[in-house]
């Protein structure tokens, strides 16, 4: 265990929840630094000195700052191996990273076209068109997850991993994107299993 707690820069409703869940599962000592997105604190000079991207999560460690959810999840799992939050074999770890990459590069981007469409277009008509497409894109992403990425009660099979907190976080966005999670029975059951874990309840509190 580190002598100095890690510091997680966090905003509610974001993918940073996945990292907070991982830290709680690992019983890691950490401090939480909340950012007020409504006040645009993520664009403040102070935070940009931590993460020039102006996004969350960012994790301050003794060795430096890490950003991007898949990287932070892998770091927590490897930093606290006793918690057994990731496979130790090469194939299993790569499989976990495959799931993380899909959530980050495909599903998260599909979701972001609703609240943050202005990142990709300036014209109101283009923004509206992207937002209308979000439910369909999220449904397609979760149909693949339902078929291909839930190998058992947990994402990787019989053992819980940081991938489960990540899927739980992203699946939590479905409702706001106009998609009923009940359309995906395996995802829905997984979401409820993860929500019942004490570490997840602490992270949500």
């Amino acid at each position: 265990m580190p002598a100095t707690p890690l510091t997680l820069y966090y905003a509610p409703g974001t993918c940073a929840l996945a990292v907070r869940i991982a830290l709680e599962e690992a019983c890691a000592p950490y401090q939480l630094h909340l950012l007020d997105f409504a006040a645009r604190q993520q664009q403040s000079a102070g935070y940009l000195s931590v993460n020039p991207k102006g996004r969350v999560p960012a994790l301050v460690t003794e060795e430096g700052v890490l950003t991007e959810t898949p990287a932070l999840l892998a770091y927590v799992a490897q930093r606290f191996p006793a918690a057994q939050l990731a496979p130790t074999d090469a194939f299993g770890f790569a499989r976990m990273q495959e799931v993380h990459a899909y959530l980050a590069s495909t599903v998260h981007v599909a979701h972001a076209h609703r609240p943050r469409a202005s990142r990709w277009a300036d014209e109101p008509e283009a923004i509206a068109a992207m937002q209308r497409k979000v439910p369909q894109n999220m449904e397609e992403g979760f149909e693949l997850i339902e078929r291909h990425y839930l190998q058992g009660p947990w994402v990787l099979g019989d053992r819980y991993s940081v991938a489960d907190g990540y899927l739980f976080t992203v699946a939590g966005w479905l409702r706001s994107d106009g998609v009923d999670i009940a359309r995906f029975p395996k995802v829905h059951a997984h979401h409820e299993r993860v929500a019942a874990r004490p570490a997840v309840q602490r992270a949500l509190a």
Side-chain angles (χ1 to χ4, degrees):
M1 301 292 276
T4 303
L6 306 168
T7 299
L8 175 65
Y9 284 83
Y10 176 91
T14 69
C15 57
L17 173 61
V19 182
R20 188 177 182 187
I21 290 171
L23 291 166
E24 289 288 346
E25 292 280 3
C27 297
Y30 74 99
Q31 299 169 340
L32 195 64
H33 190 121
L34 286 171
L35 293 175
D36 185 347
F37 274 24
R40 298 190 60 79
Q41 287 183 348
Q42 75 274 26
Q43 296 297 328
S44 67
Y47 184 60
L48 291 175
S49 70
V50 175
N51 182 5
K53 300 169 188 174
R55 309 273 179 89
V56 293
L59 187 68
V60 180
T61 78
E62 304 94 318
E63 298 173 274
V65 179
L66 292 170
T67 64
E68 303 299 336
T69 300
L72 271 60
L73 294 175
Y75 172 82
V76 172
Q78 293 184 329
R79 177 70 182 273
F80 303 97
Q84 298 184 334
L85 293 175
T88 55
D89 65 289
F91 181 86
F93 191 85
R95 179 69 168 179
M96 183 186 77
Q97 293 295 77
E98 178 187 337
V99 175
H100 290 177
Y102 183 71
L103 291 174
S105 66
T106 300
V107 186
H108 192 158
V109 173
H111 161 77
H113 278 73
R114 180 183 58 79
R116 302 180 186 91
S118 59
R119 288 179 182 171
W120 292 278
D122 296 316
E123 298 80 8
E125 298 82 2
I127 289 173
M130 284 190 287
Q131 291 173 332
R132 286 194 299 270
K133 189 77 170 176
V134 167
Q136 178 185 337
N137 288 340
M138 291 295 283
E139 287 171 1
E140 290 175 357
F142 272 88
E143 284 169 1
L144 186 143
I145 291 167
E146 179 85 1
R147 293 193 314 270
H148 186 59
Y149 278 143
L150 273 168
Q151 302 297 310
W154 307 115
V155 170
L156 300 179
D158 294 331
R159 178 169 289 179
Y160 181 93
S161 72
V162 290
D164 293 291
Y166 198 3
L167 177 57
F168 171 83
T169 297
V170 176
W173 300 337
L174 284 171
R175 187 174 186 178
S176 65
D177 289 335
V179 180
D180 184 359
I181 194 173
R183 290 192 53 181
F184 312 104
K186 290 165 65 177
V187 172
H188 191 193
H190 174 269
H191 196 264
E192 293 185 339
R193 277 193 296 275
V194 176
R197 293 177 68 87
V200 176
Q201 293 178 12
R202 291 194 302 271
L204 292 171

